[in-house]
Amino acid sequence: MSSSTRDPAAAAAHSFNKILAQPGKSTKSKRSGDVDESVKKLRRMILVEGIPSQVDATLRPRIWKILLRVDEISADTFLGYVTRGPCEVREKIRNDTFRTLATDKGFKERVREDMLVRLLDAFVWRNHDQHERSRLDFTYVQGMNVLAAPFLYTLPSEIEAFFCFAKFIEHACPLYVQPTLEGVHRGLKLLDRCLKIVDPELFAYLRSKNLSAEIYAFPSVLTLCACTPPLDQVLKLWDFLLAFGVHLNVLCVIAQLLLIREDVMSSSSPMKLLRTFPPLDAVPVIGIAVTLVRDLPVELYDELVRHPYELSGI
């Protein structure tokens, strides 16, 4: 019996590597249909098995690049931005970067503050150049430092992290990083609407305490739950969000609420509990979020899907 057969994580790593290494299908040379088929297989595996990064540390970065469709990585482009020096909002960036995931020792050991500053500076310069071609304005906004953190932690180089982060921000959740944080506020309103449907009793109790999602869920929606440790669980949750859509983070926040529902309902001051969510446990959160999708009306779920990127208002 092979070691991969005996060890489920090793078997999963083997299955992922098999999908990633299909002959003649490098990221650059894959036809669109081939990429779509590979992504479908990866999504299924992520949902059923999870990425066994402890067995093969190269898996997550390779999978993230495929899910984000990042195949053009130019060191010259990135270094061109970096050599311009501080961007116009450098001071604002530095006000946030020093406290990024400050309590996570593993993150601090792998990702230095200057790496975060460089990536965010470069992102601002990139969009300074693209301003006239884009319908949206991108600069540095609150929370962007935390959204950048998982990419710098996961990807093997700053250059790869930069291009994955840029693609993610510009395509997956552009409205979350507009100066008004429009996507975040939409997400919070949708969280209230979804909670009212999936658990009307919990929703009513929170409202009786004057607690809306804007009050208790803002950090979790703003950072796609990256503000809730531990980081290894955040990365598992992000595997799911990158595979199936960042809109599902709203349901992941509701899932975290449901996991502490009994404590919340029996507390006379639930905000004390909700001020800091319990440590993240990705597997049950993902399982509950997937189940909640079935409980939502089609029109509401459609709004949820579109809220991070579609310009027309909800």
Side-chain angles (χ1 to χ4, degrees):
M1 186 181 286
S2 71
S3 60
S4 64
T5 309
R6 288 195 304 269
D7 181 354
H14 176 73
S15 298
F16 273 111
N17 275 310
K18 200 172 171 184
I19 296 169
L20 295 172
Q22 288 175 20
K25 292 186 180 180
S26 70
T27 345
K28 284 190 178 181
S29 64
K30 280 184 185 179
R31 294 187 304 275
S32 177
D34 295 332
V35 174
D36 290 342
E37 191 52 41
S38 292
V39 167
K40 280 182 190 172
K41 290 177 182 174
L42 288 173
R43 282 176 178 152
R44 281 196 297 272
M45 285 287 294
I46 287 166
L47 195 57
V48 175
E49 304 279 354
I51 299 174
S53 56
Q54 73 279 17
V55 175
D56 183 347
T58 73
L59 275 176
R60 180 169 281 129
R62 286 187 288 152
I63 290 167
W64 280 20
K65 282 191 280 188
I66 289 172
L67 293 174
L68 289 164
R69 308 288 174 107
V70 171
D71 47 32
E72 295 288 334
I73 292 173
S74 166
D76 288 343
T77 301
F78 177 67
L79 293 173
Y81 297 137
V82 170
T83 53
R84 293 193 199 181
C87 71
E88 60 199 16
V89 288
R90 163 66 77 83
E91 189 176 341
K92 193 175 177 184
I93 289 171
R94 289 297 302 274
N95 283 340
D96 289 341
T97 49
F98 75 92
R99 55 177 170 237
T100 306
L101 305 190
T103 59
D104 191 294
K105 190 180 174 188
F107 175 77
K108 288 296 185 186
E109 285 173 355
R110 191 181 299 189
V111 180
R112 301 185 313 276
E113 185 186 358
D114 63 288
M115 295 163 68
L116 262 172
V117 172
R118 260 194 306 275
L119 183 148
L120 294 166
D121 263 339
F123 180 76
V124 174
W125 282 123
R126 167 188 171 92
N127 285 284
H128 184 274
D129 291 353
Q130 294 180 351
H131 175 67
E132 291 182 2
R133 287 173 284 160
S134 174
R135 294 172 66 197
L136 293 166
D137 277 335
F138 291 100
T139 183
Y140 177 77
V141 298
Q142 176 189 7
M144 203 180 269
N145 57 312
V146 183
L147 293 176
F151 291 103
L152 281 166
Y153 185 84
T154 298
L155 277 297
S157 71
E158 282 183 53
I159 297 166
E160 289 165 279
F162 168 75
F163 281 99
C164 286
F165 171 75
K167 187 72 175 283
F168 174 71
I169 291 295
E170 292 164 11
H171 293 268
C173 56
L175 296 185
Y176 271 55
V177 295
Q178 294 307 295
T180 60
L181 303 180
E182 181 184 347
V184 177
H185 294 297
R186 286 187 187 183
L188 291 162
K189 288 185 177 74
L190 282 162
L191 197 157
D192 277 330
R193 290 169 63 193
C194 292
L195 182 60
K196 188 175 183 179
I197 287 169
V198 302
D199 195 331
E201 187 184 10
L202 178 58
F203 173 79
Y205 183 68
L206 290 173
R207 275 304 168 95
S208 76
K209 300 293 184 180
N210 296 315
L211 291 176
S212 66
E214 284 273 359
I215 294 169
Y216 66 80
F218 181 81
S220 297
V221 173
L222 175 73
T223 66
L224 304 176
C225 290
C227 62
T228 305
L231 182 55
D232 68 309
Q233 296 299 307
V234 170
L235 298 180
K236 287 185 182 198
L237 187 68
W238 276 39
D239 295 338
F240 169 68
L241 296 178
L242 291 177
F244 293 95
V246 298
H247 62 281
L248 288 167
N249 181 60
V250 168
L251 300 184
C252 290
V253 178
I254 292 177
Q256 289 172 79
L257 274 179
L258 296 179
L259 287 168
I260 56 170
R261 183 186 192 279
E262 192 176 325
D263 292 336
V264 171
M265 292 292 290
S266 61
S267 171
S268 57
S269 303
M271 189 57 198
K272 288 179 181 175
L273 291 170
L274 300 177
R275 192 169 285 117
T276 305
F277 276 16
L280 187 64
D281 190 356
V283 171
V285 166
I286 290 166
I288 293 168
V290 169
T291 304
L292 293 178
V293 171
R294 302 171 204 154
D295 297 332
L296 299 179
V298 173
E299 298 80 6
L300 179 55
Y301 185 69
D302 186 50
E303 288 183 26
L304 191 64
V305 170
R306 292 183 281 108
H307 88 272
Y309 60 83
E310 190 171 275
L311 278 168
S312 56
I314 283 179

